[in-house]
Amino acid sequence: GAVVSQHPSWVICKSGTSVKIECRSLDFQATTMFWYRQFPKQSLMLMATSNEGSKATYEQGVEKDKFLINHASLTLSTLTVTSAHPEDSSFYICSATTSGRSGELFFGEGSRLTVL
Amino acid sequence: GENVEQHPSTLSVQEGDSAVIKCTYSDSASNYFPWYKQELGKGPQLIIDIRSNVGEKKDQRIAVTLNKTAKHFSLHITETQPEDSAVYFCAASSSPGGGADGLTFGKGTHLIIQP
């Protein structure tokens, strides 16, 4: 199957700093990438959808100025958590797909963010 | 929008027995139903999926059934093994292309295989 790589797998940062998480599709071109947030023992909460070369579409309640998403190429999307606070601590997961009838969704391994 | 309900939230079965997880969806236009397995500290992995033009799909010990009339679909795991222990998520999509855009996830089922 297709491989999606997410980096870093875990990061600890101080409150007020910014953290960037990368999501790469390694062996296919991802027309669309999704970013999710997952709290312990809960389901995936979609944060935003990004298409290559265009602005991300954010879900209701997600602050676009806080969670900056850039989808610069067909193989890379980044999520930057700006001015992170302890309440931003969570498991962030990306996924990628190629559109169309065979557009299955492939997930990255997730990134554990801890804000001190 | 779409609403996906998943039951049970926790399922414990003896090794070797079968496990069944059920999901219902609300949007009759939904046409793509994947199942994901998530191990602790990792991202979800697609294990099987089914499209609305098919009633059942099987892959070795895993099968998925779809009842479009009743708007529910189920995951069946036979001859369960310890490595099947994980959280399983169902999802539904009404994307026109039948793809993964706009997936709505269930809340997950924690499957525990007792040795």
Side-chain angles (χ1 to χ4, degrees), chain A residues 32 34 36 38 42-44 91 93 97 100-105 107-110, chain B residues 32 36 38 41-44 46 49 51 89 97-101 103 105-107:
Chain A
T32 306
F34 304 88
Y36 302 85
Q38 188 178 35
Q42 296 201 15
S43 190
L44 295 85
F91 194 53
I93 307 173
T97 185
R101 293 191 60 80
S102 60
E104 298 174 12
L105 196 63
F107 284 87
E109 287 292 308
Chain B
Y32 177 61
Y36 297 91
Q38 186 178 26
K42 295 187 176 181
L46 177 71
D49 58 9
R51 298 190 186 273
F89 292 98
D101 297 29
L103 275 177
F105 288 87
K107 292 193 173 181

mmCIF file of all heavy atoms in Angstrom, chain A residues 32 34 36 38 42-44 91 93 97 100-105 107-110, chain B residues 32 36 38 41-44 46 49 51 89 97-101 103 105-107:
data_model
loop_
_atom_site.group_PDB
_atom_site.id
_atom_site.type_symbol
_atom_site.label_atom_id
_atom_site.label_comp_id
_atom_site.label_asym_id
_atom_site.label_seq_id
_atom_site.Cartn_x
_atom_site.Cartn_y
_atom_site.Cartn_z
ATOM 1 N N THR A 32 -4.961 15.472 -2.158
ATOM 2 C CA THR A 32 -5.579 16.034 -0.963
ATOM 3 C C THR A 32 -4.949 15.430 0.273
ATOM 4 O O THR A 32 -4.682 14.228 0.317
ATOM 5 C CB THR A 32 -7.097 15.742 -0.940
ATOM 6 O OG1 THR A 32 -7.684 16.201 -2.158
ATOM 7 C CG2 THR A 32 -7.759 16.440 0.236
ATOM 8 N N PHE A 34 -5.276 15.549 4.650
ATOM 9 C CA PHE A 34 -6.152 15.903 5.767
ATOM 10 C C PHE A 34 -5.340 15.925 7.059
ATOM 11 O O PHE A 34 -4.420 15.126 7.228
ATOM 12 C CB PHE A 34 -7.272 14.865 5.919
ATOM 13 C CG PHE A 34 -8.103 14.662 4.684
ATOM 14 C CD1 PHE A 34 -7.728 13.737 3.727
ATOM 15 C CD2 PHE A 34 -9.264 15.388 4.484
ATOM 16 C CE1 PHE A 34 -8.488 13.542 2.586
ATOM 17 C CE2 PHE A 34 -10.036 15.194 3.350
ATOM 18 C CZ PHE A 34 -9.656 14.270 2.399
ATOM 19 N N TYR A 36 -5.810 15.714 11.263
ATOM 20 C CA TYR A 36 -6.718 15.347 12.338
ATOM 21 C C TYR A 36 -6.046 15.588 13.684
ATOM 22 O O TYR A 36 -4.829 15.583 13.807
ATOM 23 C CB TYR A 36 -7.089 13.860 12.266
ATOM 24 C CG TYR A 36 -7.726 13.412 10.981
ATOM 25 C CD1 TYR A 36 -6.937 13.058 9.886
ATOM 26 C CD2 TYR A 36 -9.095 13.304 10.862
ATOM 27 C CE1 TYR A 36 -7.505 12.630 8.706
ATOM 28 C CE2 TYR A 36 -9.683 12.865 9.680
ATOM 29 C CZ TYR A 36 -8.877 12.536 8.612
ATOM 30 O OH TYR A 36 -9.446 12.106 7.436
ATOM 31 N N GLN A 38 -6.418 13.975 17.656
ATOM 32 C CA GLN A 38 -7.008 12.870 18.396
ATOM 33 C C GLN A 38 -6.657 12.977 19.864
ATOM 34 O O GLN A 38 -5.482 12.984 20.232
ATOM 35 C CB GLN A 38 -6.539 11.530 17.831
ATOM 36 C CG GLN A 38 -7.252 10.327 18.429
ATOM 37 C CD GLN A 38 -6.793 9.016 17.816
ATOM 38 O OE1 GLN A 38 -5.640 8.847 17.468
ATOM 39 N NE2 GLN A 38 -7.717 8.072 17.674
ATOM 40 N N GLN A 42 -10.215 8.660 22.049
ATOM 41 C CA GLN A 42 -11.306 9.264 21.275
ATOM 42 C C GLN A 42 -11.049 9.103 19.785
ATOM 43 O O GLN A 42 -9.994 8.649 19.351
ATOM 44 C CB GLN A 42 -11.446 10.744 21.638
ATOM 45 C CG GLN A 42 -11.853 10.941 23.082
ATOM 46 C CD GLN A 42 -12.480 12.300 23.326
ATOM 47 O OE1 GLN A 42 -12.873 12.999 22.402
ATOM 48 N NE2 GLN A 42 -12.565 12.666 24.588
ATOM 49 N N SER A 43 -12.051 9.470 19.016
ATOM 50 C CA SER A 43 -11.950 9.310 17.574
ATOM 51 C C SER A 43 -11.128 10.437 16.957
ATOM 52 O O SER A 43 -10.688 11.361 17.640
ATOM 53 C CB SER A 43 -13.351 9.290 16.961
ATOM 54 O OG SER A 43 -13.291 8.919 15.602
ATOM 55 N N LEU A 44 -10.943 10.357 15.666
ATOM 56 C CA LEU A 44 -10.199 11.390 14.949
ATOM 57 C C LEU A 44 -11.119 12.577 14.676
ATOM 58 O O LEU A 44 -12.224 12.412 14.177
ATOM 59 C CB LEU A 44 -9.665 10.857 13.625
ATOM 60 C CG LEU A 44 -8.621 9.753 13.705
ATOM 61 C CD1 LEU A 44 -9.258 8.393 13.829
ATOM 62 C CD2 LEU A 44 -7.718 9.795 12.491
ATOM 63 N N PHE A 91 -2.428 14.353 19.941
ATOM 64 C CA PHE A 91 -1.877 13.481 18.893
ATOM 65 C C PHE A 91 -2.408 14.007 17.568
ATOM 66 O O PHE A 91 -3.625 14.069 17.374
ATOM 67 C CB PHE A 91 -2.330 12.037 19.154
ATOM 68 C CG PHE A 91 -1.591 10.992 18.369
ATOM 69 C CD1 PHE A 91 -0.215 10.925 18.384
ATOM 70 C CD2 PHE A 91 -2.290 10.030 17.652
ATOM 71 C CE1 PHE A 91 0.469 9.946 17.679
ATOM 72 C CE2 PHE A 91 -1.617 9.035 16.937
ATOM 73 C CZ PHE A 91 -0.236 8.993 16.963
ATOM 74 N N ILE A 93 -2.568 13.726 13.463
ATOM 75 C CA ILE A 93 -2.403 12.716 12.425
ATOM 76 C C ILE A 93 -2.747 13.318 11.073
ATOM 77 O O ILE A 93 -3.720 14.069 10.951
ATOM 78 C CB ILE A 93 -3.330 11.506 12.664
ATOM 79 C CG1 ILE A 93 -3.149 10.953 14.082
ATOM 80 C CG2 ILE A 93 -3.078 10.402 11.643
ATOM 81 C CD1 ILE A 93 -4.153 9.869 14.442
ATOM 82 N N THR A 97 -4.651 11.263 0.140
ATOM 83 C CA THR A 97 -5.427 10.486 -0.809
ATOM 84 C C THR A 97 -5.219 11.005 -2.219
ATOM 85 O O THR A 97 -4.803 12.135 -2.420
ATOM 86 C CB THR A 97 -6.927 10.549 -0.462
ATOM 87 O OG1 THR A 97 -7.659 9.691 -1.335
ATOM 88 C CG2 THR A 97 -7.474 11.961 -0.631
ATOM 89 N N GLY A 100 -10.766 10.426 -6.734
ATOM 90 C CA GLY A 100 -11.329 9.499 -7.695
ATOM 91 C C GLY A 100 -11.879 8.258 -7.050
ATOM 92 O O GLY A 100 -11.863 8.087 -5.843
ATOM 93 N N ARG A 101 -12.369 7.343 -7.820
ATOM 94 C CA ARG A 101 -13.052 6.164 -7.303
ATOM 95 C C ARG A 101 -12.134 5.276 -6.474
ATOM 96 O O ARG A 101 -12.573 4.570 -5.591
ATOM 97 C CB ARG A 101 -13.664 5.368 -8.449
ATOM 98 C CG ARG A 101 -14.796 6.092 -9.152
ATOM 99 C CD ARG A 101 -15.518 5.151 -10.078
ATOM 100 N NE ARG A 101 -16.082 4.013 -9.387
ATOM 101 C CZ ARG A 101 -17.214 4.036 -8.713
ATOM 102 N NH1 ARG A 101 -17.909 5.151 -8.624
ATOM 103 N NH2 ARG A 101 -17.668 2.946 -8.124
ATOM 104 N N SER A 102 -10.872 5.315 -6.777
ATOM 105 C CA SER A 102 -9.962 4.489 -5.996
ATOM 106 C C SER A 102 -9.271 5.320 -4.928
ATOM 107 O O SER A 102 -8.204 4.946 -4.461
ATOM 108 C CB SER A 102 -8.929 3.845 -6.925
ATOM 109 O OG SER A 102 -8.187 4.862 -7.579
ATOM 110 N N GLY A 103 -9.855 6.438 -4.556
ATOM 111 C CA GLY A 103 -9.209 7.351 -3.618
ATOM 112 C C GLY A 103 -9.224 6.876 -2.187
ATOM 113 O O GLY A 103 -9.932 7.422 -1.355
ATOM 114 N N GLU A 104 -8.438 5.878 -1.885
ATOM 115 C CA GLU A 104 -8.350 5.417 -0.509
ATOM 116 C C GLU A 104 -7.567 6.416 0.319
ATOM 117 O O GLU A 104 -6.814 7.233 -0.203
ATOM 118 C CB GLU A 104 -7.666 4.052 -0.475
ATOM 119 C CG GLU A 104 -8.429 2.984 -1.224
ATOM 120 C CD GLU A 104 -7.668 1.680 -1.296
ATOM 121 O OE1 GLU A 104 -6.666 1.527 -0.588
ATOM 122 O OE2 GLU A 104 -8.064 0.815 -2.083
ATOM 123 N N LEU A 105 -7.732 6.320 1.613
ATOM 124 C CA LEU A 105 -7.092 7.248 2.554
ATOM 125 C C LEU A 105 -5.967 6.530 3.270
ATOM 126 O O LEU A 105 -6.171 5.447 3.810
ATOM 127 C CB LEU A 105 -8.137 7.735 3.544
ATOM 128 C CG LEU A 105 -7.806 8.968 4.371
ATOM 129 C CD1 LEU A 105 -7.631 10.174 3.478
ATOM 130 C CD2 LEU A 105 -8.917 9.214 5.379
ATOM 131 N N PHE A 107 -2.911 6.931 6.175
ATOM 132 C CA PHE A 107 -2.571 7.745 7.324
ATOM 133 C C PHE A 107 -1.079 7.729 7.611
ATOM 134 O O PHE A 107 -0.383 6.746 7.380
ATOM 135 C CB PHE A 107 -3.307 7.228 8.565
ATOM 136 C CG PHE A 107 -4.755 7.592 8.601
ATOM 137 C CD1 PHE A 107 -5.692 6.786 7.979
ATOM 138 C CD2 PHE A 107 -5.187 8.727 9.253
ATOM 139 C CE1 PHE A 107 -7.041 7.114 7.999
ATOM 140 C CE2 PHE A 107 -6.533 9.065 9.288
ATOM 141 C CZ PHE A 107 -7.450 8.254 8.661
ATOM 142 N N GLY A 108 -0.619 8.840 8.183
ATOM 143 C CA GLY A 108 0.720 8.869 8.740
ATOM 144 C C GLY A 108 0.712 8.208 10.104
ATOM 145 O O GLY A 108 -0.339 7.803 10.611
ATOM 146 N N GLU A 109 1.883 8.125 10.704
ATOM 147 C CA GLU A 109 2.020 7.448 11.995
ATOM 148 C C GLU A 109 1.606 8.333 13.166
ATOM 149 O O GLU A 109 1.540 7.870 14.294
ATOM 150 C CB GLU A 109 3.472 6.997 12.180
ATOM 151 C CG GLU A 109 3.860 5.813 11.312
ATOM 152 C CD GLU A 109 3.164 4.538 11.721
ATOM 153 O OE1 GLU A 109 3.229 4.187 12.919
ATOM 154 O OE2 GLU A 109 2.535 3.887 10.868
ATOM 155 N N GLY A 110 1.349 9.599 12.901
ATOM 156 C CA GLY A 110 0.943 10.494 13.969
ATOM 157 C C GLY A 110 2.116 11.201 14.624
ATOM 158 O O GLY A 110 3.254 10.716 14.600
ATOM 159 N N TYR B 32 -18.970 4.923 0.359
ATOM 160 C CA TYR B 32 -17.656 4.325 0.608
ATOM 161 C C TYR B 32 -17.503 4.117 2.104
ATOM 162 O O TYR B 32 -17.693 5.054 2.889
ATOM 163 C CB TYR B 32 -16.557 5.244 0.066
ATOM 164 C CG TYR B 32 -15.148 4.759 0.342
ATOM 165 C CD1 TYR B 32 -14.699 3.541 -0.152
ATOM 166 C CD2 TYR B 32 -14.263 5.528 1.082
ATOM 167 C CE1 TYR B 32 -13.408 3.102 0.104
ATOM 168 C CE2 TYR B 32 -12.979 5.101 1.334
ATOM 169 C CZ TYR B 32 -12.553 3.884 0.842
ATOM 170 O OH TYR B 32 -11.281 3.440 1.085
ATOM 171 N N TYR B 36 -10.638 1.014 9.743
ATOM 172 C CA TYR B 36 -9.244 1.255 10.079
ATOM 173 C C TYR B 36 -8.909 0.601 11.409
ATOM 174 O O TYR B 36 -9.738 0.539 12.316
ATOM 175 C CB TYR B 36 -8.958 2.762 10.178
ATOM 176 C CG TYR B 36 -9.158 3.493 8.882
ATOM 177 C CD1 TYR B 36 -10.395 4.052 8.564
ATOM 178 C CD2 TYR B 36 -8.129 3.613 7.955
ATOM 179 C CE1 TYR B 36 -10.594 4.712 7.363
ATOM 180 C CE2 TYR B 36 -8.313 4.272 6.760
ATOM 181 C CZ TYR B 36 -9.549 4.813 6.473
ATOM 182 O OH TYR B 36 -9.746 5.455 5.272
ATOM 183 N N GLN B 38 -6.169 0.910 14.542
ATOM 184 C CA GLN B 38 -5.170 1.792 15.123
ATOM 185 C C GLN B 38 -4.550 1.139 16.350
ATOM 186 O O GLN B 38 -5.236 0.873 17.340
ATOM 187 C CB GLN B 38 -5.774 3.151 15.496
ATOM 188 C CG GLN B 38 -4.728 4.155 15.972
ATOM 189 C CD GLN B 38 -5.312 5.519 16.298
ATOM 190 O OE1 GLN B 38 -6.474 5.648 16.626
ATOM 191 N NE2 GLN B 38 -4.482 6.563 16.198
ATOM 192 N N GLY B 41 -0.431 4.479 19.939
ATOM 193 C CA GLY B 41 0.626 5.400 19.565
ATOM 194 C C GLY B 41 0.934 5.455 18.087
ATOM 195 O O GLY B 41 1.943 6.041 17.678
ATOM 196 N N LYS B 42 0.067 4.871 17.266
ATOM 197 C CA LYS B 42 0.303 4.870 15.822
ATOM 198 C C LYS B 42 -0.896 5.443 15.081
ATOM 199 O O LYS B 42 -1.965 5.603 15.647
ATOM 200 C CB LYS B 42 0.576 3.444 15.341
ATOM 201 C CG LYS B 42 1.851 2.830 15.900
ATOM 202 C CD LYS B 42 2.132 1.485 15.251
ATOM 203 C CE LYS B 42 3.453 0.910 15.732
ATOM 204 N NZ LYS B 42 3.759 -0.389 15.087
ATOM 205 N N GLY B 43 -0.687 5.745 13.804
ATOM 206 C CA GLY B 43 -1.787 6.201 12.987
ATOM 207 C C GLY B 43 -2.663 5.046 12.545
ATOM 208 O O GLY B 43 -2.255 3.886 12.566
ATOM 209 N N PRO B 44 -3.891 5.321 12.139
ATOM 210 C CA PRO B 44 -4.800 4.267 11.670
ATOM 211 C C PRO B 44 -4.302 3.644 10.369
ATOM 212 O O PRO B 44 -3.672 4.313 9.555
ATOM 213 C CB PRO B 44 -6.119 5.011 11.448
ATOM 214 C CG PRO B 44 -5.992 6.284 12.213
ATOM 215 C CD PRO B 44 -4.539 6.637 12.178
ATOM 216 N N LEU B 46 -5.697 1.291 7.071
ATOM 217 C CA LEU B 46 -6.843 0.716 6.380
ATOM 218 C C LEU B 46 -6.721 -0.805 6.372
ATOM 219 O O LEU B 46 -5.686 -1.355 5.984
ATOM 220 C CB LEU B 46 -6.891 1.232 4.946
ATOM 221 C CG LEU B 46 -7.998 0.681 4.057
ATOM 222 C CD1 LEU B 46 -9.357 1.227 4.500
ATOM 223 C CD2 LEU B 46 -7.745 1.040 2.594
ATOM 224 N N ASP B 49 -12.233 -2.215 3.045
ATOM 225 C CA ASP B 49 -13.250 -1.220 2.725
ATOM 226 C C ASP B 49 -14.279 -1.837 1.779
ATOM 227 O O ASP B 49 -14.059 -2.899 1.202
ATOM 228 C CB ASP B 49 -12.627 0.038 2.105
ATOM 229 C CG ASP B 49 -11.828 -0.245 0.826
ATOM 230 O OD1 ASP B 49 -11.876 -1.384 0.307
ATOM 231 O OD2 ASP B 49 -11.145 0.671 0.352
ATOM 232 N N ARG B 51 -17.594 -0.649 -1.054
ATOM 233 C CA ARG B 51 -18.328 0.410 -1.734
ATOM 234 C C ARG B 51 -19.791 0.003 -1.848
ATOM 235 O O ARG B 51 -20.142 -1.164 -1.715
ATOM 236 C CB ARG B 51 -17.699 0.695 -3.105
ATOM 237 C CG ARG B 51 -16.255 1.173 -2.949
ATOM 238 C CD ARG B 51 -15.638 1.697 -4.230
ATOM 239 N NE ARG B 51 -14.225 2.004 -4.012
ATOM 240 C CZ ARG B 51 -13.787 3.171 -3.556
ATOM 241 N NH1 ARG B 51 -14.628 4.138 -3.306
ATOM 242 N NH2 ARG B 51 -12.492 3.377 -3.382
ATOM 243 N N PHE B 89 -11.835 1.683 13.831
ATOM 244 C CA PHE B 89 -12.723 2.778 13.465
ATOM 245 C C PHE B 89 -13.436 2.446 12.160
ATOM 246 O O PHE B 89 -12.800 2.024 11.194
ATOM 247 C CB PHE B 89 -11.943 4.079 13.259
ATOM 248 C CG PHE B 89 -11.351 4.651 14.508
ATOM 249 C CD1 PHE B 89 -10.021 4.429 14.836
ATOM 250 C CD2 PHE B 89 -12.116 5.432 15.358
ATOM 251 C CE1 PHE B 89 -9.465 4.956 15.987
ATOM 252 C CE2 PHE B 89 -11.563 5.975 16.515
ATOM 253 C CZ PHE B 89 -10.240 5.734 16.822
ATOM 254 N N GLY B 97 -17.120 10.978 -6.018
ATOM 255 C CA GLY B 97 -16.241 10.036 -6.703
ATOM 256 C C GLY B 97 -16.083 8.734 -5.971
ATOM 257 O O GLY B 97 -15.356 7.847 -6.421
ATOM 258 N N GLY B 98 -16.776 8.604 -4.841
ATOM 259 C CA GLY B 98 -16.629 7.366 -4.080
ATOM 260 C C GLY B 98 -15.289 7.258 -3.403
ATOM 261 O O GLY B 98 -14.856 6.183 -3.030
ATOM 262 N N GLY B 99 -14.633 8.367 -3.224
ATOM 263 C CA GLY B 99 -13.302 8.343 -2.635
ATOM 264 C C GLY B 99 -13.310 8.656 -1.162
ATOM 265 O O GLY B 99 -14.332 8.588 -0.499
ATOM 266 N N ALA B 100 -12.155 9.015 -0.676
ATOM 267 C CA ALA B 100 -11.982 9.168 0.764
ATOM 268 C C ALA B 100 -12.241 10.594 1.240
ATOM 269 O O ALA B 100 -12.141 10.864 2.428
ATOM 270 C CB ALA B 100 -10.567 8.761 1.144
ATOM 271 N N ASP B 101 -12.594 11.490 0.329
ATOM 272 C CA ASP B 101 -12.877 12.855 0.762
ATOM 273 C C ASP B 101 -14.077 12.869 1.687
ATOM 274 O O ASP B 101 -15.051 12.159 1.469
ATOM 275 C CB ASP B 101 -13.218 13.725 -0.466
ATOM 276 C CG ASP B 101 -12.040 13.817 -1.425
ATOM 277 O OD1 ASP B 101 -11.247 12.868 -1.470
ATOM 278 O OD2 ASP B 101 -11.939 14.825 -2.125
ATOM 279 N N LEU B 103 -14.608 11.915 4.787
ATOM 280 C CA LEU B 103 -14.916 10.765 5.628
ATOM 281 C C LEU B 103 -15.400 11.219 6.990
ATOM 282 O O LEU B 103 -14.831 12.126 7.586
ATOM 283 C CB LEU B 103 -13.674 9.896 5.817
ATOM 284 C CG LEU B 103 -13.364 8.850 4.752
ATOM 285 C CD1 LEU B 103 -12.065 8.155 5.098
ATOM 286 C CD2 LEU B 103 -14.478 7.832 4.626
ATOM 287 N N PHE B 105 -15.913 9.602 10.753
ATOM 288 C CA PHE B 105 -15.474 8.428 11.515
ATOM 289 C C PHE B 105 -16.430 8.106 12.647
ATOM 290 O O PHE B 105 -17.034 8.997 13.255
ATOM 291 C CB PHE B 105 -14.081 8.677 12.103
ATOM 292 C CG PHE B 105 -12.985 8.662 11.082
ATOM 293 C CD1 PHE B 105 -12.655 9.817 10.382
ATOM 294 C CD2 PHE B 105 -12.281 7.507 10.804
ATOM 295 C CE1 PHE B 105 -11.648 9.813 9.425
ATOM 296 C CE2 PHE B 105 -11.267 7.496 9.856
ATOM 297 C CZ PHE B 105 -10.969 8.652 9.169
ATOM 298 N N GLY B 106 -16.527 6.827 12.967
ATOM 299 C CA GLY B 106 -17.163 6.403 14.192
ATOM 300 C C GLY B 106 -16.253 6.693 15.364
ATOM 301 O O GLY B 106 -15.096 7.104 15.178
ATOM 302 N N LYS B 107 -16.729 6.462 16.572
ATOM 303 C CA LYS B 107 -15.950 6.800 17.763
ATOM 304 C C LYS B 107 -14.936 5.730 18.148
ATOM 305 O O LYS B 107 -14.152 5.937 19.068
ATOM 306 C CB LYS B 107 -16.879 7.099 18.929
ATOM 307 C CG LYS B 107 -17.679 8.381 18.716
ATOM 308 C CD LYS B 107 -18.368 8.861 19.978
ATOM 309 C CE LYS B 107 -18.994 10.227 19.718
ATOM 310 N NZ LYS B 107 -19.662 10.778 20.926
#
